[in-house]
Amino acid sequence: MKELFHKYKEVISYLIFGVATTIVNIVIFFVCKDVLGIDYKISNAIGWFLSVLFAFFTNKYFVFSSKHEDFRSFMVEMFLFYWYRVLSFVVDMGLMMLMIEMMHISDFWAKMVTQVAVIVLNYFFSKFLIFKKKVS
């Protein structure tokens, strides 16, 4: 069992922190929309921004164990992280608008569906484009 955990530690960690990031996103979305009365598009953007900030640090330090040699390399990673998250945000927002406005799916189910697509995209981006291991 221990061997399996070590073999899949990165994927397991990503799933755990991905769930945590998704919870942050969803809670902020519904608090902004339902408690504060903010439009769903703006609520989605606020939830995205804050959850990406949370995700950067958890992914960098706990999932991919990325070490930066200097401040510049740290900033490059952060820039790339946000850049690729912007791409997944465009997918998120596009799917939300498609499902809510054209397909008339409830905002709850639209949000749930979009999060699955976003999690898969973000893992790919993080693993292969942002926190890729340096070849020695």
Side-chain angles (χ1 to χ4, degrees), residues 56-113:
F56 173 72
F57 288 101
T58 58
N59 278 244
K60 178 173 180 52
Y61 294 111
F62 301 112
V63 177
F64 298 105
S65 301
S66 176
K67 309 281 189 264
H68 55 275
E69 297 165 11
D70 55 27
F71 183 71
R72 184 183 180 288
S73 62
F74 175 85
M75 293 307 294
V76 166
E77 272 186 350
M78 184 178 263
F79 172 79
L80 288 173
F81 193 83
Y82 267 90
W83 169 252
Y84 285 111
R85 289 313 190 266
V86 165
L87 294 179
S88 65
F89 175 69
V90 169
V91 171
D92 183 354
M93 187 63 81
L95 288 173
M96 288 282 291
M97 292 170 68
L98 172 72
M99 286 188 273
I100 292 170
E101 295 177 11
M102 299 177 123
M103 300 172 73
H104 305 288
I105 295 173
S106 75
D107 56 10
F108 175 83
W109 288 112
K111 189 69 178 165
M112 296 303 115
V113 169

Side-chain angles (χ1 to χ4, degrees), residues 29-45:
F29 170 76
F30 284 109
V31 165
C32 289
K33 187 181 84 53
D34 294 336
V35 175
L36 301 176
I38 299 171
D39 179 75
Y40 83 89
K41 293 173 197 154
I42 295 169
S43 297
N44 197 41

